[in-house]
Amino acid sequence: MHAWIGYVGTVLIPTKAFWDVDLYRWWMWQGLHEGVWPVLSGDWVYPAGAVLPMLAPALVVDAVDTRAYAVAWTVLIAAANAAAVGVLLRGTRVPARDARPGADGGVVGVVTGPPGHDPAAGAWWWLAFVLLLGPVAVGRLDAVVAPVVVVALTLALRRPAVASALLTAGAWIKVAPGALLLPLVLVVRRPWRDLVLPAALVCVAVATAVVAGGGAAHLTSFLTEQGDRGLQVEAVAATPWVLAGLGSPDVRVVLNQAITTWEITGPGTAAVAGALGLLLPLALAAVTALLAWVRLRAGDRLDTAGFLARGALLVAVTLIVANKVGSPQFVGWLAGPVVVGLARPGAAGARAWRLPAALVLVVAALTQWVFPVTYDGITAQQAGPSLLLVLRNVLLVVLAVVVARDVVRTGRAPATTTARVSAPAA
């Protein structure tokens, strides 16, 4: 499957599918041959840690060769995904008797539901997801953090410190994984030691490396580098204008040449783009409040593993729905929580995840049709491709509602199927 996507990205439609990968290659060529490194030599659109996965293929093949770098990048993603699947299969397989609390201060899900489950269900679903999402599931930086999220969520209840370090490291590659700490902090007994301290150590390590390389002034540039961008045409919030543009010459899709992004302009779009900058953190705060309410109300009845996976999915879909940027690779953020949720043991595993898992697969398939298949039609404001984008966006909103409902239901799990939080006293 990865070989097929690599073929699409390197042979069939490289300029559409793997354009970003070639940009990564160019940045690394500048660093290796001219000493001009992202972050160290100037402001950059990505966090500093993104240099590492971009550099890895350039250390194996000559960064001058576009196709060789793209092939090496594809192999890197395939290897990372394979390693994550290995952790997933081992981490979600339970013995015949119930798992017991770990001795390291972590929390362990104790499942007393029906015996027998297939931890490979999550892995098979992931392969289907990547295939349906297409080139952006491999040929973008988000493909690097997807396996990191899978591993972190798999280990979160047994090794919360490791999960925290992984999610923080992922955030220094692409910001989104850091937000997945929000549901985890609500179920860990000692969050300062098990979550805050590992995250802080990772941040200190990254900051020290950047400062030592002379890039102190650019360490946080990724937070402001795209602050002035407009409303991207694929963003969920752009949906009304996408529809209006089919019949109104006042609504147009234009190219922001500074960042090579297609944005939609028309009456009110600038105001909405500005408002979303404030709405996104408010939406995350509201999601956190909902999760905290469910956690407090459930008490000892909480299905901890289900709560964590569904909470992570709710955070991920909120990051997409409330965002003025609608890049297709963002859909990859949905994969990790679903993969781990499907692989969970007991009745609360695959069966309870059927609807959100199916919705995410449909969203992935529609996203590939949006980009790269019909993207030229969307930028040309053609009816068919534009309506396809509208359908995808509507399903993202439906997914958010479904997941929020499931989070609330997780707090009502009966005691006989609850995955309890258990850890030794401090």
Side-chain angles (χ1 to χ4, degrees):
M1 183 269 290
H2 286 78
W4 162 250
I5 294 180
Y7 177 71
V8 172
T10 59
V11 178
L12 297 184
I13 50 171
T15 56
K16 286 186 176 182
F18 274 19
W19 186 90
D20 281 37
V21 174
D22 199 44
L23 183 59
Y24 307 157
R25 178 200 62 80
W26 167 244
W27 282 329
M28 295 304 100
W29 182 89
Q30 284 187 309
L32 292 171
H33 294 275
E34 298 184 355
V36 179
W37 290 98
V39 180
L40 301 183
S41 303
D43 291 347
W44 200 31
V45 70
Y46 294 120
V51 170
L52 295 180
M54 294 180 188
L55 180 61
L59 297 178
V60 178
V61 300
D62 191 342
V64 174
D65 192 329
T66 296
R67 180 170 294 180
Y69 182 91
V71 170
W73 176 271
T74 303
V75 172
L76 169 68
I77 301 304
N81 287 352
V85 166
V87 174
L88 178 75
L89 296 181
R90 291 178 61 87
T92 55
R93 184 177 291 115
V94 295
R97 63 180 183 274
D98 292 346
R100 296 301 175 190
D104 64 344
V107 290
V108 179
V110 180
V111 179
T112 57
H117 78 289
D118 183 9
W124 285 116
W125 182 93
W126 194 10
L127 289 173
F129 172 86
V130 172
L131 188 62
L132 290 173
L133 185 56
V136 297
V138 172
R140 300 292 173 94
L141 189 59
D142 305 75
V144 175
V145 300
V148 173
V149 169
V150 170
V151 173
L153 292 179
T154 300
L155 300 177
L157 295 181
R158 288 185 171 87
R159 300 288 185 269
V162 174
S164 176
L166 287 172
L167 291 174
T168 306
W172 277 105
I173 297 173
K174 199 69 183 285
V175 178
L180 301 187
L181 287 167
L182 293 175
L184 183 57
V185 75
L186 296 173
V187 297
V188 173
R189 177 172 293 184
R190 292 185 287 264
W192 284 102
R193 191 194 74 173
D194 292 336
L195 297 183
V196 176
L197 180 58
L201 290 175
V202 171
C203 291
V204 169
V206 173
T208 300
V210 173
V211 171
H218 314 293
L219 178 63
T220 59
S221 60
F222 67 96
L223 296 174
T224 57
E225 189 69 7
Q226 299 191 59
D228 295 332
R229 70 186 300 167
L231 186 61
Q232 191 168 332
V233 65
E234 304 105 290
V236 173
T239 302
W241 286 273
V242 171
L243 288 171
L246 298 179
S248 173
D250 295 331
V251 179
R252 297 184 301 117
V253 177
V254 298
L255 178 64
N256 184 333
Q257 296 185 354
I259 53 176
T260 319
T261 299
W262 290 93
E263 298 173 353
I264 196 159
T265 63
T269 55
V272 169
L276 286 172
L278 177 62
L279 179 61
L280 181 57
L282 290 177
L284 287 176
V287 167
T288 304
L290 173 65
L291 293 173
W293 175 73
V294 171
R295 175 69 184 93
L296 290 173
R297 188 183 64 163
D300 290 340
R301 296 181 296 108
L302 183 71
D303 176 4
T304 309
F307 174 83
L308 177 60
R310 294 192 189 282
L313 181 57
L314 183 58
V315 169
V317 72
T318 300
L319 288 172
I320 298 173
V321 171
N323 207 320
K324 67 178 179 180
V325 182
S327 300
Q329 65 267 24
F330 288 5
V331 173
W333 301 347
L334 305 174
V338 179
V339 169
V340 177
L342 286 171
R344 288 182 56 213
R351 188 169 59 191
W353 279 80
R354 285 176 183 171
L355 179 56
L359 281 172
V360 173
L361 287 181
V362 175
V363 165
L366 289 173
T367 300
Q368 182 172 184
W369 277 97
V370 167
F371 184 89
V373 179
T374 65
Y375 198 66
D376 290 342
I378 291 172
T379 58
Q381 295 181 275
Q382 297 174 2
S386 297
L387 292 175
L388 197 67
L389 172 60
V390 169
L391 176 60
R392 194 285 304 264
N393 289 348
V394 169
L395 288 181
L396 280 169
V397 176
V398 171
L399 175 66
V401 174
V402 168
V403 177
R405 179 205 64 184
D406 289 346
V407 166
V408 174
R409 289 180 176 178
T410 300
R412 299 173 182 169
T416 55
T417 59
T418 297
R420 303 182 186 278
V421 180
S422 183

